[in-house]
Amino acid sequence: MKALLLQVLCLLTIMNARAQLKPVEGQSAIGFTIRNFGIRVSGMLKGIEGNIHFDPARSNEAVFDINIDAGTINTDNSLRDDHLKGESYLDIKHYPKIHFQSTRVTSSNRTGTWILTGRLTIRGHEKEISFPFSAAATNGGYLFKGTFRIHRKDFEVGGTSTISDEMQVDLNVFAN
């Protein structure tokens, strides 16, 4: 009986450990698109780290706690990237990380898709966001995909700049 109980506890520990995931930097991409003078500008951010606790059977217990290195912003234009890292935009000297902390995960009406709600913090300004995401089991982990829109002025990014207020963010994060 004790041996059976020990085996069950070990199995539960292994199952729980599988639900605790870490983003894999080289296999993850955080992209964004925004308009500047009406021209579409795209870029990427790297330096993703954090913890994801996800089990599709218990999505209401899921937790996403993610940091992204704001200093990795890349729009394929080093002058623009340096400007975006500066005080009037991301201000990486004072706010080196972009942070997301989930507050809830709920099921959607589509199989393999959930709704993620949480607090996004950029430049010390926090805003609640909510967006659909998919999670596909692959290579011993999960590939999470989602898209959402934010308003840069909510985070005091860019002031009265000529860039659009609305920015689209595309997530493609592999975690294992």
Side-chain angles (χ1 to χ4, degrees):
M1 183 68 170
K2 285 183 182 179
L4 179 59
L5 182 59
L6 184 58
Q7 287 176 338
V8 169
L9 286 173
C10 286
L11 181 59
L12 288 174
T13 301
I14 290 169
M15 288 172 58
N16 192 32
R18 288 185 187 150
Q20 297 176 21
L21 308 167
K22 296 222 176 262
V24 177
E25 172 66 33
Q27 297 177 45
S28 299
I30 295 94
F32 64 88
T33 306
I34 194 165
R35 294 199 175 272
N36 186 16
F37 285 117
I39 298 169
R40 185 177 155 184
V41 176
S42 296
M44 301 291 291
L45 289 158
K46 294 185 178 188
I48 184 171
E49 59 187 22
N51 294 299
I52 299 171
H53 301 276
F54 182 78
D55 178 347
R58 299 188 325 229
S59 61
N60 62 325
E61 298 174 10
V63 176
F64 292 75
D65 186 6
I66 302 296
N67 284 301
I68 300 165
D69 183 351
T72 65
I73 193 164
N74 182 351
T75 63
D76 287 332
N77 181 319
S78 60
L79 289 174
R80 179 175 44 220
D81 295 345
D82 288 343
H83 186 65
L84 293 174
K85 293 174 189 178
E87 190 175 329
S88 61
Y89 284 87
L90 292 176
D91 192 7
I92 66 168
K93 180 179 177 184
H94 296 105
Y95 306 100
K97 301 286 183 186
I98 296 169
H99 183 247
F100 178 80
Q101 174 68 54
S102 65
T103 54
R104 71 182 173 278
V105 177
T106 55
S107 298
S108 76
N109 58 0
R110 294 188 324 170
T111 302
T113 303
W114 294 265
I115 305 298
L116 178 59
T117 302
R119 295 180 309 273
L120 178 64
T121 305
I122 302 173
R123 286 180 48 109
H125 299 280
E126 185 179 284
K127 177 88 173 157
E128 182 174 85
I129 63 170
S130 187
F131 61 94
F133 76 95
S134 64
T138 183
N139 298 326
Y142 283 93
L143 179 59
F144 299 99
K145 291 185 176 188
T147 298
F148 61 91
R149 295 181 184 277
I150 60 172
H151 294 274
R152 67 176 177 84
K153 291 180 182 177
D154 288 345
F155 303 96
E156 295 188 16
V157 172
T160 59
S161 172
T162 59
I163 62 175
S164 172
D165 182 33
E166 187 174 78
M167 177 171 58
Q168 178 174 307
V169 178
D170 298 302
L171 304 173
N172 191 353
V173 177
F174 176 69
N176 67 3

